[in-house]
Amino acid sequence: MVSRYCYEVPDKCLGDIMRCSPTYSKDLPFGGKMIVLGGDFRQILPVIPRESRQDIVHSTVNSSYLWKFCQVLKLTKNMRLSVETTASDQDETEQFDIVEEVNNHLMAIIPEGEKLYLSSDSICMDEGNMESQLDLYGPELLNSINCSGLPPHKLILKIGVPMMLLRNIDQFSGLCNGTRLQVRKFGNHVIECEVLTGNNVGHIALIPKMNMVPTNETVPVRFQRRQFPIIVSFAMTINKSQGQTLSHVGLCLPKPIFTHDQLYVALSRVKSKRNLKVLLMNHVGISANSIINVVYREVFEKIVF
């Protein structure tokens, strides 16, 4: 999912440091250092908001001048499917989302009393034309902004509800972006949670409020939101599920997958097909038995499998 420019910038920096830049040599990328890149072009490509298919393909690393220096190494064993599975499970495996609606529906079913946390939103002070922006973007308007990677202004929680962490807080303790947690206790300034995923399953963590600045280009003004860096996560988007291994998966697809191989990513999160359930609907909301798998075939042109 990383843009080619995230590789080209350190290539130039290391080249200058090691005096191996194109000025000195054209055959030593990354200053002569060996770099290992991990990825799968069958999975999600770089996310470029409001750009065309051509722009997305052009941003992949195999469209970079660095690709000619890369040697493709292939992994042949699916470790996700081989861990804690029976022989019959392995035999079987050889054969966008309405996330917010699902989360709200399941939240309403839980009988426990709810706790409401409101964020504090303000325009970033490093912006120019502060006076005019303060007039245009008052607190009510900032409160109404919801975008990817940012918790809502009104965060409603209940004891026992699963959540997802939206920021890296303490990587050593497993508190990273994407970590799943469960609410245990409420506080005014911290929330006590139990870690549900990773190497620290069962550990207790205190999640504080943080200042978060959205990087979404669709947001009309640069502002910060002070809120707990979490969202309710009975369900998650396909992008957020990438890299996770789950024992059971329910895939809700009332609309077709809209970009390169999200369907592949969603279906490959589970260890056994018997633990995978998929709900498909056609354009009029009636159950269906097939869906289009979107693939940008041109990203494979420079890759030999």
Side-chain angles (χ1 to χ4, degrees), residues 116-201:
L116 172 64
Y117 291 101
L118 300 178
S119 71
S120 174
D121 300 338
S122 60
I123 294 178
C124 292
M125 299 303 295
D126 59 347
E127 292 292 307
N129 302 319
M130 283 296 299
E131 293 184 2
S132 60
Q133 288 188 341
L134 287 173
D135 292 336
L136 288 174
Y137 301 102
E140 295 80 8
L141 180 56
L142 297 179
N143 293 163
S144 67
I145 296 177
N146 287 313
C147 59
S148 176
L150 194 70
H153 166 62
K154 292 183 178 180
L155 182 62
I156 301 175
L157 300 175
K158 295 182 179 180
I159 299 297
V161 165
M163 305 179 303
M164 179 176 289
L165 196 58
L166 298 178
R167 291 293 187 275
N168 294 331
I169 296 180
D170 184 353
Q171 293 183 331
F172 180 78
S173 300
L175 300 179
C176 307
N177 184 10
T179 298
R180 290 170 62 82
L181 309 165
Q182 186 176 38
V183 179
R184 287 170 51 95
K185 293 180 182 179
F186 295 128
N188 292 329
H189 304 290
V190 295
I191 298 176
E192 183 179 301
C193 304
E194 180 179 344
V195 179
L196 299 180
T197 57
N199 296 326
N200 295 285
V201 173

Coordinates of all heavy atoms in Angstrom, one line a residue, residues 116-201:
L116 N -21.0 8.6 27.0 CA -20.7 9.5 25.9 C -19.5 10.4 26.1 O -19.4 11.0 27.2 CB -22.0 10.4 25.6 CG -21.8 11.5 24.6 CD1 -21.5 11.0 23.2 CD2 -23.0 12.4 24.6
Y117 N -18.6 10.4 25.2 CA -17.4 11.2 25.2 C -17.4 12.2 24.1 O -17.5 11.8 22.9 CB -16.1 10.4 25.2 CG -15.9 9.6 26.4 CD1 -16.1 8.2 26.4 CD2 -15.3 10.1 27.6 CE1 -15.9 7.4 27.5 CE2 -15.1 9.3 28.7 CZ -15.4 8.0 28.6 OH -15.1 7.2 29.7
L118 N -17.4 13.5 24.3 CA -17.4 14.5 23.3 C -15.9 15.0 23.1 O -15.2 15.2 24.0 CB -18.3 15.7 23.7 CG -19.7 15.4 23.9 CD1 -20.5 16.6 24.4 CD2 -20.4 14.8 22.7
S119 N -15.6 15.2 21.8 CA -14.3 15.7 21.5 C -14.2 17.2 21.6 O -15.2 17.9 21.7 CB -13.9 15.3 20.1 OG -14.7 16.1 19.1
S120 N -13.0 17.8 21.7 CA -12.7 19.2 21.6 C -12.0 19.5 20.3 O -10.9 19.0 20.1 CB -11.9 19.6 22.8 OG -11.5 21.0 22.7
D121 N -12.7 20.2 19.4 CA -12.1 20.5 18.1 C -11.7 21.9 17.9 O -12.5 22.8 18.3 CB -13.1 20.1 17.0 CG -13.5 18.6 17.0 OD1 -12.7 17.8 17.6 OD2 -14.6 18.3 16.5
S122 N -10.6 22.2 17.3 CA -10.1 23.5 17.1 C -9.2 23.6 15.9 O -8.6 22.6 15.5 CB -9.4 24.1 18.3 OG -8.2 23.3 18.6
I123 N -9.2 24.7 15.2 CA -8.3 24.9 14.0 C -6.8 25.0 14.5 O -6.5 25.5 15.6 CB -8.6 26.2 13.3 CG1 -10.0 26.1 12.7 CG2 -7.6 26.6 12.2 CD1 -10.5 27.4 12.0
C124 N -6.0 24.3 13.8 CA -4.5 24.3 14.1 C -4.0 25.7 14.1 O -4.2 26.5 13.2 CB -3.8 23.4 13.2 SG -4.2 21.6 13.3
M125 N -3.2 26.0 15.1 CA -2.7 27.4 15.3 C -1.6 27.8 14.3 O -1.3 28.9 14.2 CB -2.2 27.6 16.7 CG -3.3 27.4 17.8 SD -4.7 28.5 17.6 CE -3.9 30.0 17.9
D126 N -1.1 26.8 13.6 CA 0.0 27.1 12.7 C -0.5 27.6 11.3 O 0.2 27.9 10.4 CB 1.0 25.9 12.5 CG 0.2 24.7 11.9 OD1 -1.0 24.7 12.0 OD2 0.9 23.8 11.5
E127 N -1.8 27.6 11.2 CA -2.4 28.0 9.9 C -2.4 29.5 9.7 O -2.6 30.3 10.7 CB -3.9 27.5 9.8 CG -4.0 26.0 9.7 CD -3.4 25.5 8.4 OE1 -3.9 26.0 7.3 OE2 -2.5 24.6 8.4
G128 N -2.3 30.0 8.5 CA -2.5 31.5 8.2 C -3.9 31.9 8.1 O -4.8 31.0 8.1
N129 N -4.2 33.2 8.1 CA -5.5 33.7 8.0 C -6.4 33.2 9.1 O -7.6 32.7 8.9 CB -6.2 33.4 6.6 CG -5.3 33.9 5.5 OD1 -4.8 35.0 5.6 ND2 -5.2 33.1 4.4
M130 N -5.9 33.2 10.3 CA -6.7 32.6 11.4 C -8.0 33.2 11.6 O -9.0 32.6 11.9 CB -5.8 32.7 12.7 CG -4.7 31.6 12.8 SD -5.4 30.0 12.9 CE -6.3 30.1 14.4
E131 N -8.1 34.5 11.6 CA -9.3 35.2 11.9 C -10.4 34.8 10.9 O -11.6 34.5 11.3 CB -9.1 36.7 11.9 CG -8.2 37.2 13.0 CD -8.1 38.7 13.0 OE1 -8.7 39.4 12.1 OE2 -7.3 39.3 13.8
S132 N -10.1 34.8 9.6 CA -11.2 34.4 8.6 C -11.6 33.0 8.8 O -12.7 32.6 8.6 CB -10.6 34.7 7.2 OG -9.5 33.9 7.0
Q133 N -10.6 32.1 9.1 CA -11.0 30.7 9.3 C -11.8 30.4 10.5 O -12.7 29.6 10.5 CB -9.7 29.8 9.3 CG -9.0 29.8 8.0 CD -7.9 28.8 8.0 OE1 -7.3 28.4 9.0 NE2 -7.4 28.3 6.8
L134 N -11.5 31.2 11.6 CA -12.3 31.1 12.8 C -13.8 31.4 12.5 O -14.7 30.9 13.1 CB -11.7 31.9 13.9 CG -10.4 31.4 14.5 CD1 -9.8 32.4 15.5 CD2 -10.6 30.1 15.2
D135 N -14.0 32.4 11.7 CA -15.3 32.8 11.3 C -16.0 31.8 10.5 O -17.2 31.5 10.7 CB -15.3 34.2 10.6 CG -14.8 35.3 11.5 OD1 -15.0 35.2 12.7 OD2 -14.3 36.3 10.9
L136 N -15.3 31.1 9.6 CA -15.9 30.2 8.7 C -16.1 28.8 9.3 O -17.1 28.1 9.1 CB -15.0 30.0 7.4 CG -15.0 31.2 6.4 CD1 -13.9 30.9 5.3 CD2 -16.3 31.4 5.8
Y137 N -15.1 28.4 10.1 CA -15.1 27.0 10.7 C -15.3 27.1 12.2 O -14.3 27.0 12.9 CB -13.9 26.3 10.3 CG -13.7 26.2 8.8 CD1 -12.8 27.0 8.1 CD2 -14.4 25.3 8.0 CE1 -12.6 26.9 6.8 CE2 -14.3 25.2 6.7 CZ -13.4 26.0 6.0 OH -13.2 25.9 4.7
G138 N -16.5 27.2 12.6 CA -16.8 27.3 14.1 C -16.8 25.9 14.7 O -16.7 24.9 13.9
P139 N -16.9 25.8 16.0 CA -16.8 24.4 16.6 C -17.9 23.5 16.1 O -17.6 22.3 16.0 CB -17.1 24.8 18.1 CG -16.6 26.2 18.2 CD -16.9 26.9 17.0
E140 N -19.1 24.0 15.8 CA -20.2 23.1 15.4 C -19.8 22.5 14.0 O -20.1 21.3 13.8 CB -21.5 23.9 15.2 CG -22.1 24.4 16.5 CD -21.4 25.7 16.9 OE1 -20.6 26.3 16.1 OE2 -21.6 26.2 18.1
L141 N -19.2 23.2 13.1 CA -18.8 22.7 11.8 C -17.7 21.7 12.0 O -17.7 20.6 11.4 CB -18.4 23.8 10.9 CG -18.0 23.4 9.5 CD1 -19.1 22.6 8.8 CD2 -17.6 24.6 8.6
L142 N -16.7 22.0 12.8 CA -15.6 21.0 13.0 C -16.1 19.8 13.7 O -15.6 18.7 13.3 CB -14.5 21.7 13.9 CG -13.8 22.9 13.3 CD1 -12.8 23.5 14.3 CD2 -13.1 22.6 12.0
N143 N -17.1 19.9 14.6 CA -17.6 18.7 15.3 C -18.3 17.8 14.3 O -18.4 16.5 14.5 CB -18.6 19.1 16.3 CG -18.0 19.8 17.5 OD1 -18.7 20.5 18.3 ND2 -16.7 19.8 17.6
S144 N -18.8 18.3 13.2 CA -19.6 17.5 12.2 C -18.7 16.7 11.2 O -19.2 15.9 10.5 CB -20.5 18.4 11.4 OG -19.8 19.3 10.6
I145 N -17.4 17.0 11.2 CA -16.5 16.4 10.3 C -16.1 15.0 10.7 O -15.7 14.8 11.9 CB -15.2 17.2 10.1 CG1 -15.5 18.6 9.5 CG2 -14.2 16.5 9.2 CD1 -14.3 19.5 9.4
N146 N -16.4 14.0 9.9 CA -16.0 12.6 10.1 C -15.2 12.1 8.9 O -15.6 12.3 7.8 CB -17.2 11.7 10.3 CG -17.9 12.0 11.6 OD1 -17.2 12.0 12.7 ND2 -19.2 12.1 11.7
C147 N -14.0 11.6 9.1 CA -13.2 11.1 8.0 C -12.4 9.9 8.5 O -12.3 9.6 9.7 CB -12.3 12.1 7.5 SG -11.1 12.8 8.7
S148 N -11.9 9.1 7.6 CA -11.1 7.9 7.9 C -9.9 8.2 8.8 O -9.2 9.2 8.6 CB -10.6 7.3 6.6 OG -9.8 6.2 6.8
G149 N -9.7 7.4 9.8 CA -8.6 7.5 10.7 C -8.8 8.5 11.8 O -7.9 8.7 12.6
L150 N -10.0 9.0 12.0 CA -10.3 10.0 13.0 C -11.5 9.5 13.8 O -12.5 9.1 13.2 CB -10.6 11.3 12.4 CG -10.6 12.6 13.3 CD1 -9.2 12.8 13.8 CD2 -11.1 13.8 12.6
P151 N -11.5 9.5 15.2 CA -12.6 9.1 15.9 C -13.7 10.2 15.8 O -13.5 11.3 15.5 CB -12.1 9.1 17.4 CG -10.9 10.0 17.4 CD -10.3 9.9 16.0
P152 N -15.0 9.8 16.0 CA -16.1 10.8 15.9 C -16.1 11.8 17.0 O -15.5 11.5 18.1 CB -17.3 9.9 15.9 CG -16.9 8.7 16.8 CD -15.5 8.5 16.4
H153 N -16.8 12.9 16.8 CA -16.9 13.9 17.8 C -17.7 13.3 19.0 O -17.3 13.5 20.2 CB -17.7 15.1 17.3 CG -18.2 16.0 18.3 ND1 -17.4 16.7 19.2 CD2 -19.5 16.4 18.6 CE1 -18.1 17.4 20.0 NE2 -19.4 17.3 19.7
K154 N -18.8 12.6 18.7 CA -19.5 11.9 19.7 C -19.2 10.4 19.7 O -19.6 9.7 18.9 CB -21.0 12.1 19.5 CG -21.6 13.5 19.6 CD -23.1 13.5 19.4 CE -23.6 15.0 19.6 NZ -25.1 15.0 19.4
L155 N -18.4 10.0 20.7 CA -17.9 8.7 20.9 C -18.8 8.0 22.0 O -18.7 8.3 23.1 CB -16.4 8.6 21.3 CG -15.8 7.3 21.4 CD1 -15.8 6.5 20.1 CD2 -14.3 7.4 21.9
I156 N -19.6 7.0 21.5 CA -20.5 6.3 22.4 C -20.0 4.9 22.7 O -19.8 4.2 21.8 CB -21.9 6.3 21.9 CG1 -22.5 7.7 21.6 CG2 -22.9 5.5 22.8 CD1 -23.8 7.7 20.9
L157 N -19.8 4.6 24.0 CA -19.2 3.3 24.3 C -20.0 2.6 25.4 O -20.8 3.3 26.1 CB -17.8 3.5 24.9 CG -16.7 4.1 23.9 CD1 -15.4 4.4 24.7 CD2 -16.5 3.3 22.7
K158 N -19.9 1.3 25.5 CA -20.5 0.5 26.5 C -19.5 -0.5 27.0 O -18.5 -0.9 26.3 CB -21.7 -0.2 26.0 CG -22.9 0.7 25.6 CD -24.1 -0.1 25.1 CE -25.2 0.8 24.7 NZ -26.4 0.1 24.3
I159 N -19.6 -1.0 28.3 CA -18.7 -2.0 28.8 C -18.8 -3.2 28.0 O -19.9 -3.7 27.7 CB -19.1 -2.3 30.3 CG1 -18.9 -1.0 31.2 CG2 -18.2 -3.4 30.9 CD1 -17.5 -0.4 31.2
G160 N -17.6 -3.8 27.7 CA -17.6 -5.0 26.9 C -17.5 -4.8 25.4 O -17.4 -5.8 24.6
V161 N -17.7 -3.6 24.9 CA -17.7 -3.3 23.5 C -16.3 -3.4 22.9 O -15.3 -2.9 23.5 CB -18.3 -1.9 23.2 CG1 -18.0 -1.5 21.8 CG2 -19.8 -1.9 23.5
P162 N -16.1 -4.1 21.7 CA -14.8 -4.2 21.1 C -14.5 -2.9 20.4 O -15.4 -2.2 19.8 CB -15.0 -5.3 20.1 CG -16.4 -5.3 19.8 CD -17.1 -4.9 21.0
M163 N -13.3 -2.5 20.4 CA -12.8 -1.2 19.8 C -11.6 -1.5 19.0 O -10.9 -2.5 19.1 CB -12.6 -0.2 20.8 CG -13.7 0.1 21.8 SD -13.2 1.4 23.0 CE -11.7 0.6 23.7
M164 N -11.2 -0.5 18.1 CA -10.0 -0.5 17.4 C -9.2 0.8 17.7 O -9.8 1.9 17.6 CB -10.2 -0.6 15.9 CG -9.0 -0.7 15.1 SD -9.2 -0.9 13.3 CE -9.7 -2.6 13.3
L165 N -7.9 0.6 17.9 CA -7.0 1.7 18.2 C -6.7 2.4 16.9 O -6.4 1.7 15.9 CB -5.8 1.2 18.9 CG -4.9 2.3 19.6 CD1 -5.7 3.1 20.6 CD2 -3.7 1.6 20.3
L166 N -6.7 3.7 16.8 CA -6.4 4.5 15.6 C -5.0 5.1 15.6 O -4.7 5.8 14.6 CB -7.5 5.5 15.4 CG -8.9 5.1 15.3 CD1 -9.9 6.2 15.2 CD2 -9.0 4.2 14.1
R167 N -4.3 5.0 16.6 CA -2.9 5.6 16.7 C -1.9 4.7 17.3 O -2.3 3.8 18.1 CB -3.0 6.9 17.4 CG -3.7 8.1 16.8 CD -3.0 8.5 15.5 NE -3.6 9.7 14.9 CZ -4.7 9.7 14.1 NH1 -5.2 8.5 13.8 NH2 -5.2 10.8 13.6
N168 N -0.6 4.8 17.0 CA 0.4 4.1 17.7 C 0.7 4.8 19.0 O 1.1 5.9 19.1 CB 1.7 4.1 16.9 CG 1.6 3.3 15.6 OD1 0.8 2.3 15.5 ND2 2.3 3.7 14.6
I169 N 0.4 4.1 20.1 CA 0.6 4.6 21.5 C 1.9 4.1 22.1 O 2.7 4.8 22.6 CB -0.6 4.4 22.4 CG1 -1.8 5.2 21.8 CG2 -0.4 4.8 23.8 CD1 -3.1 5.0 22.6
D170 N 2.0 2.7 22.1 CA 3.1 2.0 22.8 C 3.3 0.7 22.0 O 2.7 -0.3 22.3 CB 2.8 1.8 24.2 CG 4.0 1.2 25.0 OD1 5.0 0.8 24.3 OD2 3.9 1.0 26.2
Q171 N 4.2 0.7 21.0 CA 4.4 -0.4 20.2 C 5.0 -1.6 21.0 O 4.6 -2.8 20.7 CB 5.3 -0.1 19.0 CG 4.7 0.9 18.0 CD 5.6 1.2 16.8 OE1 6.8 1.1 17.0 NE2 5.0 1.5 15.7
F172 N 5.8 -1.3 22.0 CA 6.3 -2.4 22.8 C 5.2 -3.2 23.5 O 5.3 -4.4 23.7 CB 7.3 -1.8 23.8 CG 8.0 -2.9 24.7 CD1 9.0 -3.7 24.3 CD2 7.5 -3.1 26.0 CE1 9.6 -4.6 25.1 CE2 8.1 -4.0 26.8 CZ 9.1 -4.8 26.4
S173 N 4.2 -2.5 24.0 CA 3.1 -3.1 24.7 C 2.0 -3.5 23.7 O 0.9 -4.0 24.1 CB 2.5 -2.1 25.7 OG 3.4 -1.7 26.6
G174 N 2.2 -3.4 22.4 CA 1.2 -3.9 21.4 C 0.1 -2.9 21.1 O -0.9 -3.3 20.5
L175 N 0.3 -1.7 21.6 CA -0.8 -0.7 21.4 C -0.5 0.1 20.1 O 0.1 1.2 20.1 CB -0.9 0.3 22.6 CG -1.3 -0.4 23.9 CD1 -1.3 0.6 25.0 CD2 -2.6 -1.2 23.8
C176 N -0.9 -0.5 19.0 CA -0.6 0.1 17.7 C -1.8 0.4 16.9 O -2.9 -0.1 17.2 CB 0.3 -0.8 16.9 SG 1.8 -1.4 17.7
N177 N -1.7 1.2 15.8 CA -2.8 1.4 14.9 C -3.4 0.1 14.4 O -2.6 -0.7 13.8 CB -2.4 2.3 13.8 CG -3.5 2.7 12.9 OD1 -4.7 2.5 13.1 ND2 -3.1 3.3 11.7
G178 N -4.6 -0.2 14.7 CA -5.3 -1.4 14.2 C -5.5 -2.4 15.3 O -6.2 -3.4 15.1
T179 N -4.8 -2.2 16.5 CA -5.0 -3.2 17.6 C -6.4 -3.1 18.1 O -7.1 -2.1 18.3 CB -4.1 -2.8 18.8 OG1 -2.7 -2.8 18.4 CG2 -4.3 -3.7 20.0
R180 N -7.0 -4.3 18.4 CA -8.4 -4.4 18.9 C -8.4 -4.5 20.4 O -7.5 -5.3 21.0 CB -9.1 -5.6 18.2 CG -9.4 -5.4 16.7 CD -9.8 -6.7 16.1 NE -11.1 -7.2 16.6 CZ -12.3 -6.7 16.3 NH1 -12.4 -5.7 15.4 NH2 -13.4 -7.2 16.8
L181 N -9.3 -3.8 21.0 CA -9.4 -3.7 22.4 C -10.8 -4.0 22.9 O -11.7 -3.9 22.1 CB -8.9 -2.3 22.9 CG -7.6 -1.8 22.4 CD1 -7.5 -0.3 22.7 CD2 -6.5 -2.5 23.1
Q182 N -11.0 -4.2 24.2 CA -12.3 -4.4 24.8 C -12.5 -3.5 26.0 O -11.6 -3.5 26.8 CB -12.6 -5.8 25.1 CG -14.1 -6.0 25.6 CD -14.3 -7.5 25.9 OE1 -13.4 -8.2 26.4 NE2 -15.5 -8.0 25.6
V183 N -13.5 -2.7 26.1 CA -13.7 -1.8 27.2 C -14.0 -2.5 28.5 O -14.8 -3.4 28.5 CB -14.9 -0.8 26.8 CG1 -15.2 0.1 28.0 CG2 -14.7 0.0 25.6
R184 N -13.3 -2.1 29.5 CA -13.5 -2.6 30.9 C -14.0 -1.6 31.8 O -15.0 -1.9 32.6 CB -12.1 -3.2 31.4 CG -11.7 -4.5 30.8 CD -10.2 -4.8 31.2 NE -10.1 -4.8 32.6 CZ -10.2 -5.9 33.4 NH1 -10.4 -7.0 32.9 NH2 -10.0 -5.7 34.7
K185 N -13.4 -0.4 31.9 CA -13.9 0.6 32.8 C -13.8 2.0 32.1 O -13.0 2.2 31.2 CB -13.0 0.6 34.1 CG -13.2 -0.6 34.9 CD -12.3 -0.5 36.2 CE -12.4 -1.7 37.1 NZ -11.5 -1.6 38.3
F186 N -14.7 2.9 32.5 CA -14.7 4.2 32.0 C -14.1 5.2 33.0 O -14.2 5.0 34.2 CB -16.1 4.7 31.8 CG -16.8 3.9 30.7 CD1 -18.1 3.4 30.9 CD2 -16.2 3.8 29.4 CE1 -18.7 2.7 29.9 CE2 -16.9 3.1 28.4 CZ -18.1 2.5 28.7
G187 N -13.3 6.2 32.5 CA -12.8 7.2 33.3 C -13.0 8.5 32.6 O -13.4 8.6 31.5
N188 N -12.8 9.6 33.3 CA -13.0 10.9 32.7 C -11.9 11.2 31.7 O -12.1 11.9 30.6 CB -13.1 12.1 33.7 CG -14.3 12.0 34.5 OD1 -15.4 11.5 34.0 ND2 -14.3 12.4 35.8
H189 N -10.7 10.8 32.0 CA -9.5 11.1 31.1 C -8.8 9.9 30.5 O -8.0 10.0 29.6 CB -8.5 11.9 32.0 CG -9.0 13.1 32.6 ND1 -9.4 14.2 31.9 CD2 -9.3 13.4 33.9 CE1 -9.9 15.2 32.7 NE2 -9.8 14.7 33.9
V190 N -9.1 8.7 31.0 CA -8.6 7.5 30.4 C -9.7 6.4 30.4 O -10.7 6.5 31.1 CB -7.4 6.9 31.2 CG1 -6.2 7.8 31.2 CG2 -7.8 6.6 32.7
I191 N -9.5 5.4 29.5 CA -10.4 4.3 29.4 C -9.6 3.0 29.6 O -8.6 2.9 29.0 CB -11.1 4.2 28.0 CG1 -12.0 5.5 27.8 CG2 -12.0 3.0 27.9 CD1 -12.7 5.5 26.5
E192 N -10.0 2.2 30.5 CA -9.3 0.9 30.8 C -9.8 -0.1 29.8 O -11.0 -0.4 29.7 CB -9.6 0.4 32.2 CG -8.8 -0.8 32.6 CD -9.0 -1.3 34.0 OE1 -8.7 -0.5 34.9 OE2 -9.5 -2.4 34.2
C193 N -8.9 -0.8 29.1 CA -9.2 -1.7 28.1 C -8.4 -3.0 28.2 O -7.3 -3.0 28.8 CB -9.0 -1.1 26.7 SG -9.8 0.4 26.4
E194 N -8.9 -4.1 27.6 CA -8.1 -5.3 27.5 C -7.7 -5.5 26.1 O -8.5 -5.4 25.2 CB -9.0 -6.5 28.0 CG -8.3 -7.8 28.0 CD -9.2 -9.0 28.5 OE1 -10.2 -8.7 29.1 OE2 -8.8 -10.1 28.2
V195 N -6.5 -5.9 25.9 CA -6.0 -6.1 24.5 C -6.5 -7.5 24.0 O -6.4 -8.5 24.7 CB -4.4 -6.1 24.5 CG1 -3.9 -6.4 23.1 CG2 -3.9 -4.8 25.0
L196 N -7.0 -7.5 22.8 CA -7.7 -8.7 22.2 C -6.8 -9.3 21.1 O -7.1 -10.5 20.7 CB -9.0 -8.3 21.6 CG -10.1 -7.8 22.6 CD1 -11.4 -7.5 21.8 CD2 -10.3 -8.8 23.7
T197 N -5.8 -8.6 20.6 CA -5.0 -9.1 19.4 C -3.5 -8.9 19.7 O -3.1 -8.2 20.6 CB -5.4 -8.4 18.1 OG1 -5.2 -7.0 18.3 CG2 -6.9 -8.7 17.8
G198 N -2.7 -9.6 18.9 CA -1.3 -9.5 19.0 C -0.7 -10.4 20.0 O -1.3 -11.3 20.6
N199 N 0.6 -10.0 20.4 CA 1.3 -10.8 21.4 C 1.0 -10.5 22.8 O 1.5 -11.2 23.7 CB 2.8 -10.7 21.2 CG 3.3 -11.2 19.8 OD1 2.7 -12.1 19.3 ND2 4.3 -10.5 19.2
N200 N 0.2 -9.5 23.0 CA -0.2 -9.0 24.4 C -1.6 -9.2 24.7 O -2.2 -8.5 25.5 CB 0.2 -7.6 24.6 CG 1.7 -7.3 24.5 OD1 2.5 -7.6 25.4 ND2 2.1 -6.7 23.3
V201 N -2.2 -10.3 24.2 CA -3.6 -10.6 24.4 C -3.9 -10.8 25.9 O -3.1 -11.5 26.6 CB -4.1 -11.9 23.7 CG1 -5.5 -12.3 24.1 CG2 -4.0 -11.7 22.2

